[in-house]
Amino acid sequence: MESKIDILVTLDENYLNPLKVMLTSLYYNNPNESFNIWLIHERIPEEKINNLRKLTDFFHWKLNDIKIDNNLLGDAPTKKQYPKEMYFRLLAGEIIPNNINKILYLDPDILIINPIIDLWNTDLGDYMIAASTHTGMTDITTEINKIRLWNDNKYYNSGIMLMDLRKTRELIKLKDIIDTIDKYGNQLLLPDQDVLNFLYSQHIKEVAEEIWNYDTRKYLTYFTRSLSKHNLQWVMENTSILHFCGRPKPWDPKSNSKFTALYLNYKQLLNRIEKNY
């Protein structure tokens, strides 16, 4: 029986087009894999879900559309800095069916440019999540975050996470998230990521950011830190996931980064696919 990789995305309708570009890149660079896509959302219109399903059907993937009832979150704060999608990601174990034990969460603002099977097969051991840090040149941000979040652990980016759902069901509780926001909300700079790191960083296994969560703003940092090894040729051959952190996003007219043209190429491939169904 063919084994499938379970992919989780949590977003609103404003990110559907970037999601389709991301899925297109996933398809072209993982030709030997099959995927189950789990989309958790609150209010994406059915016609837009059906449009997305045309793409996943074209790829011969299954799209699992899970619309969340407001009752799930109870008294959880939901405003601009605490979007509902933040909770959907952290509480995925409570939302995804219990027969799914592992899932790979992906932000929509990424490109997959090489196979991801090695990330999927990462041995988590006793860890709950595998994720990357974005350390910069001197790693000073890690020390700042240790002080800011009162722990001695590394600070992990929540945009790409391999999650052991058996452990998330055991360890991640909505009450703990709400209590953290109530107590420390004014000190949280990147709320969902800060909550993840404050509560659960000791349960996260680090995976190489240069491979699995490459911050496209930091080409010169990676290049310099690697003593000029990680040039564009190295990235195209070795990096699997490019993450377009910050702004402008690659679909914005103002974007002109080293990787904008690559993104637009996958956008063009998507456009060609959509003309054929």
Side-chain angles (χ1 to χ4, degrees):
M1 183 176 179
E2 183 183 45
S3 177
K4 295 193 176 184
I5 296 175
D6 289 289
I7 301 291
L8 170 65
V9 291
T10 65
L11 42 80
D12 61 29
E13 63 181 290
N14 294 319
Y15 275 88
L16 280 175
N17 285 333
L19 171 62
K20 290 194 287 186
V21 176
M22 183 268 278
L23 294 178
T24 300
S25 71
L26 180 64
Y27 172 76
Y28 279 109
N29 292 296
N30 291 267
N32 299 321
E33 310 301 338
S34 185
F35 296 91
N36 283 323
I37 310 299
W38 297 86
L39 169 61
I40 304 177
H41 66 98
E42 182 194 15
R43 60 179 73 202
I44 298 177
E46 185 174 354
E47 64 182 82
K48 294 192 175 183
I49 295 292
N50 290 337
N51 180 266
L52 176 63
R53 197 180 305 279
K54 289 180 181 179
L55 182 66
T56 55
D57 286 348
F58 180 87
F59 296 153
H60 302 290
W61 300 346
K62 183 178 180 182
L63 174 64
N64 303 275
D65 160 38
I66 302 179
K67 191 172 184 178
I68 295 300
D69 187 293
N70 284 334
N71 294 328
L72 172 76
L73 298 182
D75 297 326
T78 53
K79 44 190 176 181
K80 184 175 182 181
Q81 64 266 47
Y82 306 116
K84 292 186 177 180
E85 290 75 22
M86 170 189 91
Y87 298 100
F88 301 162
R89 178 180 1 180
L90 294 176
L91 297 171
E94 303 298 322
I95 301 170
I96 300 293
N98 285 340
N99 64 320
I100 305 298
N101 294 322
K102 181 171 68 169
I103 204 160
L104 178 60
Y105 170 81
L106 298 174
D107 270 353
D109 60 344
I110 67 172
L111 282 181
I112 313 296
I113 63 171
N114 276 304
I116 62 167
I117 188 65
D118 286 348
L119 177 60
W120 178 251
N121 288 334
T122 297
D123 182 4
L124 289 173
D126 292 329
Y127 289 98
M128 176 173 68
I129 290 170
S132 299
T133 61
H134 284 161
T135 54
M137 187 69 72
T138 61
D139 202 14
I140 191 172
T141 53
T142 294
E143 298 308 314
I144 292 173
N145 285 316
K146 284 181 180 180
I147 296 171
R148 190 169 64 83
L149 299 178
W150 304 286
N151 67 40
D152 290 326
N153 304 313
K154 291 189 175 182
Y155 186 84
Y156 296 94
N157 182 274
S158 59
I160 293 98
M161 296 187 294
L162 180 67
M163 308 173 74
D164 182 334
L165 295 181
R166 293 166 297 188
K167 288 189 170 64
T168 69
R169 292 177 184 119
E170 175 187 348
L171 296 173
I172 297 181
K173 305 299 179 185
L174 178 59
K175 183 180 184 304
D176 295 336
I177 297 170
I178 294 174
D179 288 348
T180 298
I181 292 171
D182 286 345
K183 189 171 183 179
Y184 303 108
N186 292 334
Q187 301 168 56
L188 303 180
L189 302 178
L190 299 169
D192 59 331
Q193 204 160 266
D194 281 355
V195 169
L196 173 75
N197 280 277
F198 179 81
L199 288 173
Y200 309 113
S201 57
Q202 70 272 29
H203 300 291
I204 301 177
K205 178 177 184 175
E206 184 176 5
V207 292
E209 63 174 303
E210 296 89 346
I211 306 294
W212 304 117
N213 195 337
Y214 186 104
D215 186 339
T216 58
R217 299 170 299 180
K218 297 182 177 180
Y219 170 79
L220 287 177
T221 297
Y222 294 123
F223 181 75
T224 304
R225 200 167 63 191
S226 67
L227 302 178
S228 304
K229 177 183 176 183
H230 295 175
N231 56 20
L232 282 175
Q233 287 79 8
W234 186 94
V235 172
M236 295 305 298
E237 291 176 8
N238 296 279
T239 295
S240 287
I241 302 178
L242 296 177
H243 193 177
F244 293 88
C245 303
R247 296 189 183 278
K249 296 299 185 186
W251 55 86
D252 293 338
K254 293 181 180 179
S255 177
N256 191 27
S257 77
K258 282 186 177 295
F259 300 100
T260 298
L262 181 61
Y263 186 90
L264 295 177
N265 179 64
Y266 283 102
K267 187 173 184 292
Q268 183 67 19
L269 290 173
L270 169 64
N271 292 340
R272 292 173 184 167
I273 291 170
E274 291 186 317
K275 287 178 181 178
N276 290 319
Y277 60 65

